[in-house]
Amino acid sequence: MRDVTRDATHDVTHYVSAAPHRRSFLKYTGALGAAAAISSSLSACSSGPESTNDTGGGAGGANSTLTAVIGYGNDGSWDPTQTASAFSMAANNHIYEGLLDTDPISREPYAALATAVPGDLSSTSWKFTLRAGATFHDGKPVTADDVVFVFDRILDPNTQTLAKGFFASWLKEVKKVDAQNVELVLKFPFPEGVSRLTLAKIMPKHVFSQPGGWEDAIKGKAIGSGPYRQTAHHPKSNTTFEAFAAYNGPRKAAFKKMNWMTIVDAAPRVAKISGSSAGAQIADNIPYANIQQLKSGGMDVQGGAGMNNLFLMFNTKRKPFDDVRVRQALHYAIDTGKMVEVALKGHGKPSSSFLNEANPSYRAAKVVYDYDPDKAKALLKAAGVSGLKIEILSVNVSWIVDCLPTIKASWDAIGVETTLNPQETTAVFTKMDQKQDYQVVSAASNPNQFGLDADLIMHYNYGPQNLWMGYARWADNSVAKQLFKDMDRATQEPDPEKKKAMIQDYIDVVAEEAVLYPVVHNELMTAWDPKKLVGIRAQPYPGINLLQAKWV
């Protein structure tokens, strides 16, 4: 197997939206591998210092530049209604505001552009007053027209956006009351929706309604009302920010300037924050093998355990993977304990549900794939399968590649001859888009970027129009059709405990069918210099959030 050093920048979360037309899919959702196709147009956004230059980030102090190293590409889409890019989503959280935003860890909503969280979340009408004096980074005031502009795009039946999948099922319309007030009209009571409002970043209509405005947003143009404004954007290099002096919201900028460098490869990323001459104060996506080295050098290294996972996806139109017993057998055969110990260095857990154990809606599934090679053999025998040969088509994310030998050894041990075929993520999913034949795909995903809401997470992965189900070729299955109905009923259930139970029940079906299902959930590691920064909290999803951080 070739040496692969790229880290989880290829996380498939960055690639798959709820429903966009695939023709524009890579362009919109921030795929690193698609950058070559659009880098020439992105270069128009470049100005200011390159990341290789000294930006004064080493000393700390009120007037210093905070330098961060992000292990994901900055050359994906920056359009907040479309992107799932780790870099641009994290940056947009500092540049833009929603009516409400959420705490990066607890995901509790707080008033951002709006003055208050609605008092009655069971109502089908939520009214919001915009913060007095809120302005965009170009000096123009934020108005109700800007709010309606963004939501009209999201709810437009003729425009496919990632955000549509998070809103269209429950939000009917957004109406202007007057210049400073808006009303959200819901199709039915949906309290969970209040946390999703952070996914609708309010953008200036006078900028992005212009011809080519949305294309400019994709390419990296970012003008919001948040505490930091974008000052330069160099695709594949860095993006710079400075504190927005006119910001009057709840989480003011603590750093006069920031320089976020994109360093995808693990070794130079770790080197940038290592030793006495470290050029950065914080980095995400730290490889497990480097944790002790960084700690010994005085860095604080902490993990966030969440939905980040290695999953298997089967081509259910190809025999014998149309047989649920075969899919189950291959999950039972995997020595997940060894995978966690050897590949993840203890920073993970075998999955016991589609959701990770920390999710508020978690319950162990009725079918848990504990390591049981004898059961795997029995299931294959019951399915009449022998002499099976499998090629695993895999993304080449470094930690996924580290896990693959355990899968191969486990499957070989039950008589399934296994070949590993790791490739660039764009190559893997281009094959999916072109409906090329395959047997099994192994990749990484983390829907926690969008929230902890189990309804959101499950609809992100399962649904009749979902890209994932198109890839697995399962949406027309009778079990799938009933699953999708059960999911829709759970969305509309007003009683929180009943809804939770309904979601847990249909996750049992997802577990039993094992069409697209996690093998392990793992931690994402963040490192920072505690002698220079305080207020850092490690996220269980890609990127960083510095809205509550400050210099020591």
Side-chain angles (χ1 to χ4, degrees):
M1 186 184 305
R2 59 194 176 93
D3 179 48
V4 179
T5 57
R6 284 190 170 176
D7 245 303
T9 183
H10 297 295
D11 188 322
V12 177
T13 299
H14 308 160
Y15 291 75
V16 178
S17 66
H21 294 303
R22 184 58 201 191
R23 179 163 41 195
S24 58
F25 174 63
L26 290 174
K27 175 181 179 184
Y28 285 147
T29 57
L32 177 75
I38 61 174
S39 61
S40 59
S41 61
L42 284 169
S43 63
C45 302
S46 300
S47 62
E50 294 284 358
S51 66
T52 51
N53 294 342
D54 181 6
T55 58
N63 293 318
S64 296
T65 296
L66 179 135
T67 301
V69 184
I70 310 298
Y72 306 89
N74 73 337
D75 51 358
S77 171
W78 281 65
D79 173 1
T81 72
Q82 292 281 23
T83 191
S85 158
F87 192 110
S88 48
M89 282 193 72
N92 283 345
N93 284 334
H94 297 72
I95 295 169
Y96 292 98
E97 298 175 280
L99 290 171
L100 306 179
D101 281 324
T102 59
D103 181 87
I105 306 301
S106 71
R107 299 307 180 95
E108 284 297 312
Y110 63 88
L113 262 177
T115 57
V117 177
D120 182 7
L121 297 184
S122 64
S123 172
T124 56
S125 172
W126 294 343
K127 293 182 173 67
F128 295 95
T129 299
L130 299 182
R131 187 176 70 237
T135 61
F136 289 113
H137 298 153
D138 62 1
K140 300 290 180 63
V142 182
T143 71
D145 290 329
D146 301 302
V147 177
V148 173
F149 166 69
V150 169
F151 278 102
D152 279 354
R153 172 175 168 80
I154 291 171
L155 297 177
D156 181 359
N158 298 315
T159 302
Q160 293 296 338
T161 63
L162 174 62
K164 177 183 287 187
F166 304 142
F167 291 95
S169 65
W170 57 273
L171 183 59
K172 182 179 179 180
E173 63 177 325
V174 176
K175 299 190 295 186
K176 174 183 177 180
V177 177
D178 58 36
Q180 291 299 112
N181 291 273
V182 295
E183 179 186 6
L184 273 62
V185 182
L186 282 60
K187 295 178 181 178
F188 48 83
F190 191 67
E192 296 90 340
V194 73
S195 294
R196 298 191 190 184
L197 294 183
T198 189
L199 301 173
K201 299 301 186 187
I202 305 307
M203 306 169 71
K205 179 180 179 179
H206 65 272
V207 174
F208 294 105
S209 66
Q210 298 301 312
W214 290 111
E215 289 296 320
D216 289 341
I218 291 167
K219 296 172 187 176
K221 187 172 186 175
I223 299 174
S225 62
Y228 292 93
R229 69 180 189 90
Q230 184 195 78
T231 53
H233 178 53
H234 301 277
K236 298 188 177 183
S237 174
N238 70 312
T239 303
T240 61
F241 314 78
E242 71 176 16
F244 178 42
Y247 176 75
N248 65 348
R251 297 196 173 180
K252 291 180 171 57
F255 307 104
K256 187 174 181 179
K257 294 183 179 181
M258 296 194 299
N259 179 34
W260 288 21
M261 306 167 62
T262 169
I263 304 181
V264 172
D265 290 344
R269 185 168 66 254
V270 171
K272 196 68 179 177
I273 59 167
S274 301
S276 58
S277 60
Q281 297 85 42
I282 184 171
D284 75 343
N285 201 16
I286 299 299
Y288 305 127
N290 296 105
I291 293 174
Q292 289 307 316
Q293 167 204 341
L294 291 170
K295 284 185 174 180
S296 298
M299 301 294 283
D300 199 342
V301 186
Q302 294 186 20
M307 273 291 295
N308 209 61
N309 67 84
L310 177 154
F311 67 83
L312 296 179
M313 177 174 67
F314 294 93
N315 179 355
T316 61
K317 292 298 184 187
R318 176 163 176 171
K319 292 185 178 298
F321 309 109
D322 59 334
D323 191 321
V324 65
R325 293 171 294 185
V326 174
R327 302 193 297 267
Q328 289 183 342
L330 293 171
H331 272 278
Y332 278 120
I334 298 172
D335 189 345
T336 50
K338 180 180 179 182
M339 182 181 289
V340 168
E341 177 187 358
V342 175
L344 304 182
K345 312 298 183 189
H347 294 277
K349 289 185 177 182
S351 65
S352 55
S353 167
F354 196 96
L355 302 175
N356 61 297
E357 292 182 15
N359 188 283
S361 295
Y362 168 83
R363 176 184 79 191
K366 288 185 177 179
V367 176
V368 176
Y369 294 101
D370 295 323
Y371 178 47
D372 193 338
D374 290 335
K375 188 168 188 174
K377 291 177 185 177
L379 283 165
L380 288 177
K381 183 176 181 181
V385 173
S386 61
L388 181 59
K389 297 181 179 181
I390 294 178
E391 178 186 85
I392 302 177
L393 180 62
S394 170
V395 300
N396 66 348
V397 176
S398 61
W399 72 269
I400 295 288
V401 172
D402 290 343
C403 290
L404 291 177
T406 300
I407 299 178
K408 173 176 168 53
S410 299
W411 288 0
D412 286 346
I414 63 166
V416 175
E417 185 179 326
T418 307
T419 302
L420 305 178
N421 184 13
Q423 300 182 14
E424 290 285 342
T425 300
T426 46
V428 172
F429 286 94
T430 294
K431 289 180 171 64
M432 301 296 100
D433 301 334
Q434 296 173 348
K435 301 188 184 303
Q436 292 185 24
D437 192 30
Y438 77 97
Q439 294 175 295
V440 184
V441 162
S442 176
S445 183
N446 194 334
N448 277 167
Q449 284 188 173
F450 309 109
L452 299 175
D453 176 358
D455 177 273
L456 179 155
I457 289 169
M458 298 310 299
H459 278 85
Y460 178 83
N461 289 276
Y462 280 81
Q465 305 301 320
N466 191 287
L467 278 170
W468 291 113
M469 294 299 94
Y471 292 157
R473 301 165 195 180
W474 192 61
D476 60 352
N477 183 280
S478 60
V479 176
K481 290 179 180 178
Q482 184 59 50
L483 170 68
F484 303 149
K485 291 178 182 177
D486 292 342
M487 293 174 72
D488 288 342
R489 278 196 289 269
T491 297
Q492 298 183 44
E493 172 55 51
D495 182 271
E497 288 305 311
K498 287 183 180 178
K499 174 178 288 193
K500 181 177 178 179
M502 292 168 74
I503 291 173
Q504 291 170 335
D505 286 347
Y506 74 64
I507 288 176
D508 286 341
V509 176
V510 169
E512 182 177 3
E513 291 296 314
V515 170
L516 185 159
Y517 201 71
V519 175
V520 290
H521 292 103
N522 71 318
E523 284 186 288
L524 291 174
M525 310 302 297
T526 302
W528 65 91
D529 187 344
K531 297 185 294 297
K532 295 178 180 177
L533 297 177
V534 293
I536 304 294
R537 292 181 291 168
Q539 295 183 167
Y541 51 94
I544 58 175
N545 188 299
L546 301 173
L547 294 180
Q548 293 178 297
K550 60 183 180 181
W551 294 118
V552 171

